Amino acid sequence: MQDSTANPIPQHSASDPGRVRLIDAAATEFSERGYAGASISAIAERAGVGKSTVFHHFHSKDALYLAVIQEAASEFAQKMENVLNLDQDLVTCLRAFQSQHLEHLHHNSRVARLILRELQEGDRERLVTLVRDVLAVNFSRLVNYLNDAREAGMVRPEVDCAAAALSMMSANVMYFQNRAMLEHLPGFELADDPNAYAMAVTDLIINGLAPKEQSS
Amino acid sequence: MQDSTANPIPQHSASDPGRVRLIDAAATEFSERGYAGASISAIAERAGVGKSTVFHHFHSKDALYLAVIQEAASEFAQKMENVLNLDQDLVTCLRAFQSQHLEHLHHNSRVARLILRELQEGDRERLVTLVRDVLAVNFSRLVNYLNDAREAGMVRPEVDCAAAALSMMSANVMYFQNRAMLEHLPGFELADDPNAYAMAVTDLIINGLAPKEQSS
DNA sequence: GTCTATAATTCGATAGAC
DNA sequence: GTCTATCGAATTATAGAC
């Protein structure tokens, strides 16, 4: 199988079962104990392999760590490709995006929490690598889509597409991270319905608060 | 578990200098070490008073903790009152709100970080109290403003005002929390200009992505 | 399991303001 | 003389060491 790789990160692909087991074990360890707290031996043990096997697949703890996140990010990148295309209308695409993004966070909550944790208290170096090499790719994909849609006249020319993309994702991250507490906000009805929330946010982002006055 | 009788939150207000010193010291200790990690003696020492003085002002560690957050929350509540009024137009109010909110996060970064930390890894009980007794008040204020604006026809009737309020605040929290990493997102120009960011988000929330033209 | 260290909380007394 | 902020010592709870 030939990889259509113009990708910067080498994708050994998921074919390797040992690699998959390791990434899964590492995801658990890292998310439960943080980067520093997770030990390679614990990861190896959890994966049912020897410590040296870990270093056969990944040349460093750092590389393994990034691979864990890369794994989830690539998966989401795939979903984005299915959803963001300019032939469909903006509403359909963004609804699908927002809904899938939120769903992705829940389905990959270990890694999502890992990333959020890293963003708060992680090491600078690792953080920059993470953002530039992994997160930026997916973020840019959405920004580019919005920019293209703007070119095509589907989006107002004044809109800052990066700010828009960030707003969309922020809303989901907030929901994912604090769902338990949102229940206690009076007037917030959507705490138990992620999809309805995603739709409400999408509607807001697309149409805004203000009425579309045409009554002149 | 002892029940704190009849919620006696004494509103001595800021007049009491000893109280103020304690709240300030506690803000630092709590935000640096987390709730469990912060000790009453360390707080007392930092404030330059004896340990038992702390308990003269606050009946418990818990009460002190809440008072720290309550302090910053009330301050923001005051700012909201100055900014959210229905006599001005929606754009003006929401711009001012968004900008002040983001500024407030920066000026009270110790407490802001404290809250965000608590939301992630805090104790359930304390979290619920925090949300219901403190955060919900300010959140509701914005939601109510939006609801009133909707009644007044300044906001589309379909909008979910709670979701809108949450989106606005999420965008700011994301920015506050991750400003350092946003620089590394390609295409994101506003990482070093909080006010411009707040304006971009406000514009988005008010007008949305879609052009205003009424296509029948 | 006992012992110990550390932390939260309570008590009783003191000193100064009104 | 009362009121209140303060403090040092005493009390309880708990987690970790041995």
Side-chain angles (χ1 to χ4, degrees):
Chain A
M1 264 222 264
Q2 187 73 11
D3 244 289
S4 57
T5 343
N7 246 336
I9 311 294
Q11 297 286 23
H12 295 238
S13 157
S15 51
D16 191 336
R19 189 186 152 90
V20 171
R21 278 188 69 77
L22 273 171
I23 285 188
D24 188 62
T28 304
E29 287 292 322
F30 280 132
S31 67
E32 282 178 2
R33 306 186 204 281
Y35 181 84
S39 76
I40 296 284
S41 21
I43 292 170
E45 193 175 351
R46 181 181 288 271
V49 303
K51 195 154 82 160
S52 46
T53 306
V54 178
F55 289 101
H56 172 71
H57 288 279
F58 308 92
H59 42 65
S60 66
K61 184 179 181 181
D62 225 88
L64 173 54
Y65 176 78
L66 274 190
V68 167
I69 295 170
Q70 181 68 53
E71 179 73 14
S74 305
E75 204 181 301
F76 185 61
Q78 191 55 54
K79 291 180 187 163
M80 286 176 92
E81 286 314 314
N82 297 335
V83 143
L84 296 181
N85 85 68
L86 286 168
D87 298 335
Q88 300 236 334
D89 70 305
L90 191 70
V91 180
T92 307
C93 290
L94 291 189
R95 275 187 178 165
F97 172 86
Q98 196 70 358
S99 161
Q100 295 238 348
H101 181 230
L102 190 50
E103 208 176 280
H104 183 76
L105 288 174
H106 279 101
H107 285 168
N108 297 273
S109 51
R110 277 180 322 178
V111 178
R113 271 180 236 289
L114 178 57
I115 293 174
L116 291 170
R117 185 170 178 168
E118 181 76 16
L119 287 174
Q120 279 208 318
E121 54 199 55
D123 166 77
R124 278 270 172 287
E125 296 266 357
R126 224 165 45 233
L127 182 52
V128 172
T129 311
L130 170 63
V131 172
R132 289 218 320 236
D133 293 356
V134 184
L135 303 185
V137 178
N138 286 347
F139 177 74
S140 294
R141 183 66 189 87
L142 178 58
V143 175
N144 289 339
Y145 167 80
L146 291 174
N147 276 323
D148 291 347
R150 192 171 59 176
E151 299 270 316
M154 298 158 78
V155 165
R156 281 186 301 126
E158 313 90 85
V159 168
D160 182 319
C161 292
L166 194 60
S167 298
M168 292 176 65
M169 297 175 116
S170 301
N172 276 345
V173 169
M174 170 68 82
Y175 191 84
F176 165 71
Q177 204 166 189
N178 302 310
R179 192 169 169 186
M181 79 112 182
L182 293 178
E183 292 171 20
H184 303 286
L185 287 181
F188 190 76
E189 315 283 346
L190 303 174
D192 52 1
D193 191 343
N195 207 56
Y197 173 76
M199 292 306 96
V201 172
T202 309
D203 170 74
L204 178 70
I205 298 284
I206 292 175
N207 296 309
L209 292 168
K212 307 239 172 190
E213 335 145 14
Q214 194 65 15
S215 48
S216 53
Chain B
M1 222 187 289
Q2 185 143 320
D3 217 296
S4 41
T5 26
N7 185 19
I9 296 180
Q11 300 286 32
H12 298 201
S13 197
S15 51
D16 192 335
R19 190 186 151 90
V20 172
R21 276 190 69 76
L22 274 170
I23 286 189
D24 188 61
T28 304
E29 286 292 323
F30 280 134
S31 67
E32 282 180 1
R33 306 184 204 282
Y35 181 85
S39 79
I40 296 286
S41 15
I43 292 169
E45 194 175 351
R46 182 181 287 270
V49 301
K51 194 158 61 159
S52 38
T53 303
V54 178
F55 289 98
H56 176 71
H57 290 278
F58 309 92
H59 7 56
S60 66
K61 184 181 183 179
D62 223 88
L64 173 55
Y65 176 78
L66 274 192
V68 167
I69 295 170
Q70 182 71 57
E71 179 74 12
S74 305
E75 205 181 302
F76 185 62
Q78 192 56 54
K79 292 180 186 165
M80 287 176 91
E81 285 315 314
N82 297 334
V83 143
L84 296 182
N85 86 68
L86 287 169
D87 298 335
Q88 302 235 335
D89 70 304
L90 190 70
V91 180
T92 307
C93 290
L94 291 190
R95 274 188 180 166
F97 172 86
Q98 197 71 358
S99 161
Q100 295 236 350
H101 182 232
L102 189 49
E103 208 176 280
H104 183 75
L105 289 174
H106 279 100
H107 285 168
N108 298 275
S109 52
R110 276 180 321 179
V111 179
R113 270 179 239 288
L114 177 57
I115 294 174
L116 291 170
R117 185 171 178 165
E118 181 77 14
L119 287 173
Q120 281 208 318
E121 55 199 53
D123 166 77
R124 277 272 172 283
E125 296 264 0
R126 226 166 44 233
L127 183 52
V128 172
T129 312
L130 170 64
V131 173
R132 288 217 322 232
D133 293 356
V134 184
L135 304 185
V137 178
N138 286 346
F139 177 74
S140 293
R141 183 66 189 86
L142 178 58
V143 175
N144 289 340
Y145 167 80
L146 291 174
N147 276 324
D148 291 347
R150 192 172 58 178
E151 299 270 317
M154 298 159 77
V155 166
R156 281 187 300 126
E158 313 90 82
V159 168
D160 182 318
C161 293
L166 194 61
S167 297
M168 291 176 66
M169 298 174 114
S170 302
N172 277 343
V173 168
M174 170 68 82
Y175 191 84
F176 165 72
Q177 205 167 188
N178 301 311
R179 193 169 167 185
M181 80 111 182
L182 293 178
E183 292 170 19
H184 303 287
L185 287 181
F188 190 74
E189 314 282 346
L190 303 173
D192 52 2
D193 190 342
N195 207 57
Y197 173 76
M199 293 306 97
V201 172
T202 310
D203 170 74
L204 178 70
I205 299 284
I206 293 175
N207 295 309
L209 292 167
K212 288 275 178 186
E213 328 149 13
Q214 199 79 342
S215 45
S216 96

